[in-house]
Amino acid sequence: MSKKRSFHHESLQKPDQISCILNALVEGFEQGTIKLDDGSGKIKLKPEGLLNLDLLASKEAGVNRLSIKISWRDQNCKHEPADKSSLKIYGG
């Protein structure tokens, strides 16, 4: 049985700083390794196979929220992806 390890980071960032973080994540997905380190904790992830994408966006009383959750299994599972409608994201 594998030991559970986790990493959590929360901070205030400007939009261009968030863009740099997201670009680093994109590079990690493309290269197959994502390393997270903020000085108080670190973790190394290796995305492979089919990944589950969960997006949630909301606006309420002047508070905007965008949550992005991506998950996958380490072993190669032979599950077929759910047939979902095509996602469209526009920036700007």
Side-chain angles (χ1 to χ4, degrees), residues 16-45:
D16 62 325
Q17 294 168 310
I18 297 291
S19 180
C20 287
I21 292 167
L22 292 173
N23 284 328
L25 288 170
V26 166
E27 185 177 319
F29 278 107
E30 290 173 347
Q31 294 179 357
T33 301
I34 298 171
K35 297 176 186 176
L36 304 169
D37 184 348
D38 68 356
S40 64
K42 61 184 175 180
I43 195 166
K44 180 178 174 182
L45 304 172

